[in-house]
Amino acid sequence: MWPSLDRWASLRNDLDSLLEMPFWGASGRQSQLFSGWTPALDLYQNNDNIVAVVELPGMRKEDIELSLHDGTLTISGERKEEASQENGNATRTERSTGKFRRSITLPTQVDVNKITASYKDGILTVTLPKAEEAKPRQIQINLN
Amino acid sequence: MNTLVRENRSSNGDRPTPEQFVAPAATVLENNDGYTLEVEMPGVNKESLEMWVENNELTILGRRSMPVIEGTRLHQESRPENFRRSFELDPSIDAGKISAKIEQGVVTLTLPKAERVKPRKIAVA
């Protein structure tokens, strides 16, 4: 049986968004490869660290998961509907609930044992110290 | 009549606002006692949140204090603008009794209905 045209169209969109991905492979916010919601993610780099900053308003700390596998950082979790939503009728729903997942291929090797994360005002900050061998090195040149 | 929030997009009035804002995502719930309004403002805390009611219109303004990271930004999806959004209040709301809290970047407002409009059970004598 032929796949429906819709299926082809969505496959094409998936391919398009893959091709548009930046070099470190962060999945685009509109990516259709994953059906959950996609929080905004910023990525920074300095001499010592790679830092990911993710907007995750209204989460519980324990509902956020971090993992690192083969140089890819994955931030995932689930935002459960508030208890209040059960005793009221939603007349407008713009907040996303349910699962989310973001994966980023890190531009350098990091020291897995020294990764730290903080969650404040609905913003998750993950600090990944670069592995010693990945740090830029200053070379002393003696000029005679 | 039943909607708490008819969003008012031209809420700047006569005052020109040079600053650009982003409208935060909001969810509105209604029950017999009133409405609950949840507004997502990541990066906003109690000190940087302002709310007021004027001409039966509720305005929420949140200034973001994002973590300052040294170095080069490799990728950005967040918006740098502060948050602002206005909601027209349903006439059933008792504007004097609105309360609010902010937790992990989500503002939760409780907007009780005035006693006179609440559904009332009538006992048979």
Side-chain angles (χ1 to χ4, degrees), chain A residues 13-15 20 24 26 32 48 51 53 59 63 67 78 83 85 113 124 127-128 134 139:
Chain A
N13 287 341
D14 287 350
L15 287 173
E20 284 162 16
W24 55 82
Q32 297 174 11
D48 300 321
V51 184
V53 179
M59 296 283 300
D63 292 335
S67 71
E78 184 169 2
Q85 293 199 13
N113 298 317
L124 176 75
T127 305
L128 308 111
I139 302 166

Side-chain angles (χ1 to χ4, degrees), chain A residues 85-101:
Chain A
Q85 293 199 13
E86 286 157 20
N87 351 317
N89 296 319
T91 57
R92 178 196 291 265
T93 312
E94 294 169 0
R95 296 190 60 205
S96 311
T97 52
K99 290 185 175 167
F100 70 88
R101 187 172 68 211

Side-chain angles (χ1 to χ4, degrees), chain A residues 32-133:
Chain A
Q32 297 174 11
L33 295 168
F34 178 68
S35 60
W37 55 287
T38 43
L41 183 149
D42 296 348
L43 195 66
Y44 298 82
Q45 163 167 246
N46 56 42
N47 284 348
D48 300 321
N49 301 302
I50 306 283
V51 184
V53 179
V54 192
E55 291 186 353
L56 291 170
M59 296 283 300
R60 295 186 311 180
K61 252 185 207 168
E62 55 269 33
D63 292 335
I64 304 174
E65 264 180 56
L66 290 170
S67 71
L68 187 72
H69 182 70
D70 275 349
T72 300
L73 172 72
T74 300
I75 299 155
S76 60
E78 184 169 2
R79 183 156 62 200
K80 300 185 172 95
E81 290 199 7
E82 298 285 321
S84 61
Q85 293 199 13
E86 286 157 20
N87 351 317
N89 296 319
T91 57
R92 178 196 291 265
T93 312
E94 294 169 0
R95 296 190 60 205
S96 311
T97 52
K99 290 185 175 167
F100 70 88
R101 187 172 68 211
R102 296 300 311 263
S103 287
I104 330 143
T105 305
L106 300 172
T108 63
Q109 294 246 322
V110 296
D111 190 337
V112 184
N113 298 317
K114 290 183 185 161
I115 298 173
T116 56
S118 69
Y119 183 54
K120 184 176 173 280
D121 300 337
I123 296 194
L124 176 75
T125 306
V126 188
T127 305
L128 308 111
K130 288 182 180 178
E132 278 306 319
E133 59 267 31

Side-chain angles (χ1 to χ4, degrees), chain A residues 120-121, chain B residues 41 43-51 61-63 65 100-107:
Chain A
K120 184 176 173 280
D121 300 337
Chain B
M41 294 189 167
V44 174
N45 55 39
K46 202 178 163 190
E47 287 69 40
S48 57
L49 179 67
E50 277 179 70
M51 289 173 289
L61 192 158
R63 299 197 177 276
S65 40
K101 62 171 183 173
I102 183 163
E103 223 167 5
Q104 289 294 3
V106 177
V107 184

Side-chain angles (χ1 to χ4, degrees), chain A residues 1-12:
Chain A
M1 201 200 263
W2 286 99
S4 70
L5 282 175
D6 283 350
R7 181 67 201 112
W8 282 117
S10 100
L11 186 66
R12 241 193 68 159

Side-chain angles (χ1 to χ4, degrees), chain B residues 18-87:
Chain B
E19 188 181 346
Q20 294 287 310
F21 293 98
V22 162
T27 287
V28 181
L29 303 158
E30 184 189 2
N31 64 24
N32 287 343
D33 296 327
Y35 297 88
T36 304
L37 173 59
E38 296 168 350
V39 187
E40 288 192 349
M41 294 189 167
V44 174
N45 55 39
K46 202 178 163 190
E47 287 69 40
S48 57
L49 179 67
E50 277 179 70
M51 289 173 289
W52 63 92
V53 176
E54 196 179 351
N55 298 326
N56 211 39
E57 188 178 271
L58 167 74
T59 301
I60 306 172
L61 192 158
R63 299 197 177 276
R64 320 185 78 188
S65 40
M66 299 293 282
V68 180
I69 315 288
E70 275 180 45
T72 321
R73 189 165 52 215
L74 302 175
H75 181 64
Q76 182 178 21
E77 294 168 358
S78 68
R79 300 276 301 262
E81 295 92 348
N82 290 314
F83 295 108
R84 183 186 165 130
R85 192 161 173 182
S86 294
F87 300 93

